Amino acid sequence: MDPFWILILAAILTVLYYLADSFTTRHIIKSDNKFLGMLTYLVLGSSVGLVINFLLCQTALGKIVDPKFTSISAISSTVLIYAIYAGIAGAVLTAAYLWAFKLSIDPALVVPLSSLVILYVAFYEVIRNSVQIATVIWPIAFVLLGIFLGLFNGESNKKKVLQSVFLILIVFNLCKAFNDIIMVKAVRMSDGVTFGFYRFLFLTIFAWLFSLVVVVLQKKIKLFMYTIYKNLSSLLVISLIMIVVFVSGGLNNRGAAATDATTLNIISSVPSLLIVILSALVNKVRPNTFNEDNVDRKRWVMRFVGAFFMIVGVFLLK
């Protein structure tokens, strides 16, 4: 299968679990303390995700996601180091976007802003001569134009955009750029499913360490443990989300092995605009599912025009 379409499919699945994450943090995880609620979902999600990842690796799905996969086995010290780095970066970037969702910043802002990671990755790879600027400059230009048009939300959302700047443009995007650059190197030395498992293992370890250090320093360890206990009823929903995460992550890793991090992020950015459209449609049917203001006709037009430019940008890579 063409890596281009593998990455498109991975990005669409990623959009679906981002929406599910946003819904879960807002409506399923129960906590009077928003930050503890975020940490609870971080540790429950990573722990359940690791178990789901391991179990699915024992089935035919692992081979379907990446034909190079045979079974979870030992990896080289270099790939192991990459997995540790990617796991740490993954835990931080996951915490950043979960916190953005928990702050009621709607996914129609969070996800398109996260697509601006292209700028960080492209700058690094052009400097390192990993990609030629001439081959990516126009795709990047069209995709960025589409992102900014998709972010057009009128006057009422300026405060939310400002709240998103630190969490998404800086914390999330820097960690994701680092993650994607080393992931491309690692999956070429291994396979998408095996590397994905080890990355998830270290993501889970760091998520727990980070969370425990924070709650101990805040003297809220008992409240944190009680919040986890109180939300054990959400494990079924989290498990379903983590199945999607396994497939999308494995496909993303598989596609990354055949390309560079800049191309990976250009392709992955287009379906992100779907979340802008989908979140608005869901809110029309079920108000307040996501924290988004009413979308008027002008904003719908801007979003569809943005989607068109992003699609043009991606297909310029073909």
Side-chain angles (χ1 to χ4, degrees):
M1 188 175 179
D2 189 332
F4 178 88
W5 294 111
I6 291 173
L7 291 172
I8 288 290
L9 177 58
I12 291 172
L13 292 174
T14 300
V15 165
L16 293 178
Y17 84 70
Y18 274 170
L19 277 174
D21 279 344
S22 176
F23 180 83
T24 302
T25 55
R26 282 175 54 79
H27 299 289
I28 295 180
I29 299 296
K30 305 300 181 184
S31 175
D32 294 330
N33 184 305
K34 286 187 176 182
F35 191 69
L36 285 185
M38 181 275 290
L39 292 179
T40 297
Y41 188 40
L42 178 64
V43 297
L44 285 180
S46 59
S47 301
V48 172
L50 180 62
V51 174
I52 293 292
N53 197 302
F54 177 78
L55 293 176
L56 293 179
C57 283
Q58 314 308 313
T59 70
L61 187 58
K63 189 78 173 176
I64 293 171
V65 169
D66 190 341
K68 289 171 58 181
F69 174 72
T70 53
S71 63
I72 297 173
S73 56
I75 53 179
S76 69
S77 58
T78 302
V79 177
L80 182 63
I81 291 171
Y82 285 151
I84 293 172
Y85 288 157
I88 294 172
V92 175
L93 69 87
T94 301
Y97 86 77
L98 289 180
W99 183 230
F101 288 149
K102 201 66 178 175
L103 286 174
S104 296
I105 302 172
D106 66 84
L109 290 174
V110 172
V111 178
L113 282 174
S114 69
S115 297
L116 295 177
V117 67
I118 296 169
L119 296 176
Y120 298 94
V121 174
F123 177 78
Y124 173 84
E125 291 197 324
V126 167
I127 294 297
R128 295 293 299 270
N129 292 317
S130 301
V131 298
Q132 298 298 316
I133 185 65
T135 63
V136 297
I137 185 64
W138 285 111
I140 288 176
F142 274 92
V143 168
L144 289 179
L145 178 58
I147 290 170
F148 282 114
L149 289 173
L151 284 171
F152 178 82
N153 281 297
E155 295 296 322
S156 60
N157 274 328
K158 282 186 177 180
K159 183 178 179 181
K160 295 176 190 174
V161 174
L162 291 175
Q163 287 177 315
S164 301
V165 168
F166 178 73
L167 283 172
I168 305 303
L169 285 184
I170 299 176
V171 179
F172 179 94
N173 283 350
L174 281 175
C175 288
K176 189 170 189 303
F178 177 71
N179 175 85
D180 290 351
I181 289 166
I182 61 176
M183 178 189 68
V184 168
K185 297 177 181 179
V187 293
R188 290 172 181 170
M189 302 167 65
S190 177
D191 65 80
V193 175
T194 300
F195 178 74
F197 171 77
Y198 280 101
R199 175 186 177 274
F200 222 114
L201 171 63
F202 292 110
L203 185 157
T204 304
I205 293 171
F206 187 76
W208 272 100
L209 288 175
F210 170 75
S211 300
L212 289 173
V213 168
V214 170
V215 296
V216 167
L217 290 176
Q218 293 184 344
K219 298 181 179 180
K220 293 180 179 178
I221 183 68
K222 290 183 179 179
L223 180 59
F224 178 53
M225 292 303 174
Y226 174 72
T227 305
I228 292 175
Y229 171 75
K230 188 170 65 173
N231 284 283
L232 290 179
S233 58
S234 66
L235 291 184
L236 177 59
V237 172
I238 295 174
S239 297
L240 294 175
I241 295 172
M242 291 304 140
I243 293 173
V244 179
V245 170
F246 172 82
V247 177
S248 65
L251 290 174
N252 189 67
N253 293 345
R254 174 184 168 188
T259 186
D260 52 76
T262 301
T263 302
L264 167 68
N265 278 283
I266 292 173
I267 296 173
S268 299
S269 67
V270 171
S272 72
L273 201 56
L274 286 175
I275 210 166
V276 178
I277 297 170
L278 285 174
S279 61
L281 287 174
V282 171
N283 272 349
K284 286 286 186 182
V285 177
R286 185 177 176 181
N288 299 317
T289 300
F290 304 108
N291 190 52
E292 184 179 77
D293 297 331
N294 291 326
V295 181
D296 58 28
R297 184 176 299 176
K298 181 186 292 186
R299 286 158 65 185
W300 272 113
V301 171
M302 296 292 278
R303 290 177 176 188
F304 278 109
V305 173
F308 170 77
F309 278 111
M310 293 179 78
I311 292 169
V312 169
V314 166
F315 277 90
L316 284 175
L317 290 169
K318 291 286 284 179

